Amino acid sequence: MLSKVYPKVDKKVKAKIVTFLGRITFQKGPEYFVLAAHRVLQRFPHVQFVMAGSGDKLEDMIRMVASFGMGAHFHFTGFLKGAQVNELLSQSDLYVMPSVSEPFGISPLEAAQVDVPVIISKQSGVAEVLHHAIKVDFWDVEALADAIHGVLVHNPLSNTLSSGAVVEVKSFTWDAAAQKVVHVYHQLN
């Protein structure tokens, strides 16, 4: 169901990398990512935050990062696709999707596929199927910051999330989905 998997590559920087990947629009909650980043950096300054994507809130996010003085810890990549997405994810220590409203959201699965732990909003559809992820309310910036900090400083937590999610993602196949549909169909007859 997911695109080609690329192998994990050696990181180019020593700092921890936390990634947001998606359209930079209200629906995706980029401001909550920036606000949480600000709180995390107050406790743990050895982090780089990456916001990958484009959208109508991009300029607002750049201004917000500048207003907090986080420019040295924050990177905007613009729109990425294919191998670029996989390279970014494989360099990441954590993927965060604080969506306000998200029918599903495939990017957390792509992150899990390359052994990256994920934090997602409870309001995202993927929260219903991805159990090895930390789930927070999109608006709870403190909980999001605490979760980011926790994953970055507690390797056992990070390892448990990523190894469990990898197993889950492998089970998401078209055959498995079809079998579920057939099972429901037979239950209705």
Side-chain angles (χ1 to χ4, degrees):
M1 287 172 68
L2 297 174
S3 63
K4 180 180 177 185
V5 178
Y6 292 83
K8 196 108 168 133
V9 296
D10 290 332
K11 284 178 61 175
K12 296 175 181 159
V13 296
K14 290 182 181 181
K16 298 284 188 170
I17 298 173
V18 180
T19 299
F20 171 105
L21 171 72
R23 287 178 291 113
I24 303 175
T25 63
F26 172 78
Q27 176 188 11
K28 299 289 187 174
E31 62 275 7
Y32 301 107
F33 181 74
V34 173
L35 290 168
H38 182 251
R39 285 175 171 79
V40 169
L41 286 168
Q42 292 170 349
R43 294 185 275 178
F44 189 66
H46 305 294
V47 184
Q48 295 294 308
F49 291 88
V50 177
M51 185 170 281
S54 59
D56 63 348
K57 301 278 283 178
L58 177 59
E59 288 183 23
D60 292 341
M61 295 307 99
I62 292 169
R63 279 193 281 280
M64 185 181 237
V65 166
S67 74
F68 286 133
M70 297 188 302
H73 294 276
F74 224 96
H75 309 277
F76 294 91
T77 68
F79 179 77
L80 302 177
K81 63 181 181 175
Q84 296 170 315
V85 168
N86 287 294
E87 179 157 352
L88 172 61
L89 291 174
S90 71
Q91 297 272 324
S92 300
D93 294 287
L94 176 61
Y95 173 80
V96 178
M97 187 180 81
S99 294
V100 172
S101 169
E102 183 75 47
F104 189 75
I106 197 98
S107 54
L109 301 179
E110 292 173 323
Q113 222 175 5
V114 291
D115 206 24
V116 175
V118 299
I119 298 173
I120 54 179
S121 69
K122 293 177 183 177
Q123 291 73 21
S124 65
V126 74
E128 295 177 21
V129 299
L130 188 59
H131 303 290
H132 287 86
I134 295 178
K135 300 167 190 171
V136 297
D137 288 309
F138 70 86
W139 47 263
D140 193 342
V141 175
E142 284 300 325
L144 180 56
D146 288 344
I148 292 169
H149 182 259
V151 171
L152 294 179
V153 300
H154 298 293
N155 288 336
L157 174 59
S158 175
N159 294 338
T160 298
L161 290 170
S162 61
S163 63
V166 164
V167 171
E168 281 184 282
V169 170
K170 286 180 181 176
S171 72
F172 300 151
T173 65
W174 288 116
D175 288 341
Q179 288 174 0
K180 287 179 184 178
V181 170
V182 168
H183 178 73
V184 169
Y185 176 78
H186 286 300
Q187 284 182 324
L188 295 174
N189 283 333

